[in-house]
Amino acid sequence: GQNIDQPTEMTATEGAIVQINCTYQTSGFNGLFWYQQHAGEAPTFLSYNVLDGLEEKGRFSSFLSRSKGYSYLLLKELQMKDSASYLCAVRWAGGKLIFGQGTELSVKP
Amino acid sequence: AAGVIQSPRHLIKEKRETATLKCYPIPRHDTVYWYQQGPGQDPQFLISFYEKMQSDKGSIPDRFSAQQFSDYHSELNMSSLELGDSALYFCASTPRGVGGGYTFGSGTRLTVV
């Protein structure tokens, strides 16, 4: 089965660093994705991890530990435009993505 | 660069009517996924197609059907619409066998009144 958990909401200050955690239990793991979604818009791809370790892309980094069923998304130098929902998604056997419920991030001045 | 095109962007239907949503994947992407996202919900997988054949099925009601055509575009047909069908419907495409690379369309917002 699949069970993906992430915090419902987080608040951080502009210029700060925030870490959004995601834990998963899935029997057919085939990679983990992070997406950013603004209200009413399509999810936008941020990162992909299939092997353990850290992937860095500019202000965004994502970490994966397959043995622990754990990932995090790290956002640095937060900007107001980073206020959005952040979705953790596990790629399941067969290719479909199963999403967590999303973390609503609010960036305050 | 070409993206995933969905049409229409917005659709308003009455209960018990039918609706057809269309998705045009990125060129050379042979796999299409449909997702439904209700207000404040995460996207829920509905159905997927690979090379014009259904490859997986999720929580798609029997009132819904979908297919992928020879040009790889896909259509989601929804009949006997209910108020609860009001949601954003996203289509995503990917080339098969390539890690990463799911690209989502802008979605169709369906409102059933």
Side-chain angles (χ1 to χ4, degrees), chain A residues 32 34 49 52-55 61-65 70-73:
Chain A
L32 188 141
W34 284 95
N49 296 70
D52 291 351
L54 188 68
E55 293 284 339
S61 304
S62 59
F63 171 82
L64 174 68
S65 170
Y70 168 70
S71 173
Y72 67 72
L73 179 70

Side-chain angles (χ1 to χ4, degrees), chain A residues 35 37 42 91 95-97 100, chain B residues 33 35 37 42 56 90 102 105:
Chain A
Y35 282 85
Q37 187 178 30
R91 178 177 176 165
K96 67 186 176 189
L97 294 180
Chain B
Y33 303 84
Y35 287 84
Q37 187 174 26
D42 56 285
D56 201 352
F90 290 109
Y102 291 86

Side-chain angles (χ1 to χ4, degrees), chain A residues 37 41 87, chain B residues 35-39 41-44 87-90:
Chain A
Q37 187 178 30
E41 299 182 7
L87 300 166
Chain B
Y35 287 84
Q36 177 192 57
Q37 187 174 26
Q41 305 289 316
D42 56 285
Q44 294 291 316
L88 269 170
Y89 290 83
F90 290 109

Side-chain angles (χ1 to χ4, degrees), chain B residues 1-103:
Chain B
V4 177
I5 307 297
Q6 289 189 247
S7 66
R9 289 296 306 276
H10 302 274
L11 190 59
I12 300 176
K13 290 285 185 178
E14 296 187 354
K15 284 193 301 183
R16 293 180 288 279
E17 284 193 316
T18 61
T20 297
L21 280 54
K22 298 184 179 182
C23 169
Y24 295 85
I26 290 174
R28 291 182 293 281
H29 281 198
D30 50 17
T31 305
V32 167
Y33 303 84
W34 284 98
Y35 287 84
Q36 177 192 57
Q37 187 174 26
Q41 305 289 316
D42 56 285
Q44 294 291 316
F45 171 71
L46 293 177
I47 196 166
S48 62
F49 292 88
Y50 166 64
E51 281 292 343
K52 294 153 279 185
M53 299 288 288
Q54 179 182 309
S55 55
D56 201 352
K57 194 172 182 180
S59 50
I60 183 169
D62 292 339
R63 299 177 289 107
F64 294 6
S65 65
Q67 57 182 323
Q68 186 178 33
F69 295 84
S70 58
D71 63 351
Y72 295 104
H73 94 273
S74 178
E75 295 184 4
L76 178 65
N77 299 292
M78 310 159 73
S79 62
S80 302
L81 286 169
E82 302 173 356
L83 296 178
D85 296 329
S86 295
L88 269 170
Y89 290 83
F90 290 109
C91 165
S93 76
T94 183
R96 182 104 169 158
V98 176
Y102 291 86
T103 304

Side-chain angles (χ1 to χ4, degrees), chain A residues 13-85:
Chain A
T13 304
E14 191 176 15
I17 299 172
V18 69
Q19 178 175 312
I20 303 175
N21 296 323
C22 172
T23 59
Y24 65 90
Q25 296 169 342
T26 175
S27 56
F29 179 84
N30 195 17
L32 188 141
F33 295 76
W34 284 95
Y35 282 85
Q36 181 193 63
Q37 187 178 30
H38 289 97
E41 299 182 7
T44 303
F45 171 78
L46 291 178
S47 70
Y48 169 66
N49 296 70
V50 65
L51 299 176
D52 291 351
L54 188 68
E55 293 284 339
E56 298 186 81
K57 288 179 66 175
R59 294 190 300 117
F60 297 87
S61 304
S62 59
F63 171 82
L64 174 68
S65 170
R66 289 171 295 170
S67 62
K68 296 182 180 178
Y70 168 70
S71 173
Y72 67 72
L73 179 70
L74 195 70
L75 293 80
K76 305 174 187 174
E77 301 169 15
L78 280 174
Q79 303 174 9
M80 299 297 290
K81 67 177 183 179
D82 296 329
S83 293
S85 182

